[in-house]
Amino acid sequence: MLRTGREAGRTKGVEDETLDAIKDHNEIRDAVAAVAGHDVGSKDWFEAVAAANKANGDHMAEEEREGLTDFRRLAPLALRHELAVAFIAYETKHVDGVRPVDKDPQKWVDRHG
C-alpha cells in the first residue's frame, strides 16, 4: 500500500496511513497476547478478548475505508497478483505461525520508503 500510494503521488497520506496501520497491528498483537494472561472464561479473560476484538475491528473498519479502498482503485492487476502469490508463499512457509513482534512504525516506513 505504501508503494502503490507513493506511485499514485499520495506520499504524505500513505505514509500516515502506514504508520497508523503498523501502530494498530502492534496494539492488536498486544491485546491478543494479553488474553493469555487470564483464566479462560473468567471476567478478565472476557474483557481481554473484547479488547482484542475491538482493536482488530477498529483497525479493519479503518483499512476498508482508507488504505484498501485506495489500493483496490490504484494498484494494477499485476501488482495485486504478485502480492497474492507472495502472501500464499509466506503463509505456506509459516504454516505453524510466526513469532509476533511489535515494529517501530517510523523505522519501518523509513526502511521501506
Side-chain angles (χ1 to χ4, degrees):
M1 289 174 22
L2 181 64
R3 179 176 65 183
T4 301
R6 284 184 171 161
E7 289 171 359
R10 298 186 57 247
T11 304
K12 184 61 177 166
V14 295
E15 285 182 14
D16 290 345
E17 289 173 15
T18 301
L19 293 169
D20 185 56
I22 294 168
K23 179 186 74 65
D24 287 354
H25 287 192
N26 290 340
E27 290 173 357
I28 293 165
R29 271 191 292 278
D30 294 346
V32 169
V35 172
H38 304 288
D39 291 331
V40 175
S42 68
K43 179 180 179 285
D44 291 338
W45 182 84
F46 277 107
E47 288 174 0
V49 168
N53 186 38
K54 181 174 182 353
N56 187 63
D58 289 350
H59 173 71
M60 292 307 296
E62 191 174 90
E63 287 282 316
E64 287 296 329
R65 285 189 313 272
E66 296 171 0
L68 291 176
T69 299
D70 288 346
F71 182 79
R72 284 186 205 97
R73 191 171 45 94
L74 299 171
L77 183 59
L79 174 60
R80 294 164 73 171
H81 176 77
E82 174 189 331
L83 291 172
V85 171
F87 183 72
I88 291 169
Y90 181 87
E91 283 194 321
T92 301
K93 183 178 177 181
H94 297 93
V95 69
D96 293 326
V98 295
R99 189 172 70 86
V101 178
D102 285 353
K103 296 171 180 65
D104 180 287
Q106 190 60 56
K107 286 181 181 177
W108 192 94
V109 168
D110 291 346
R111 186 172 46 246
H112 293 88

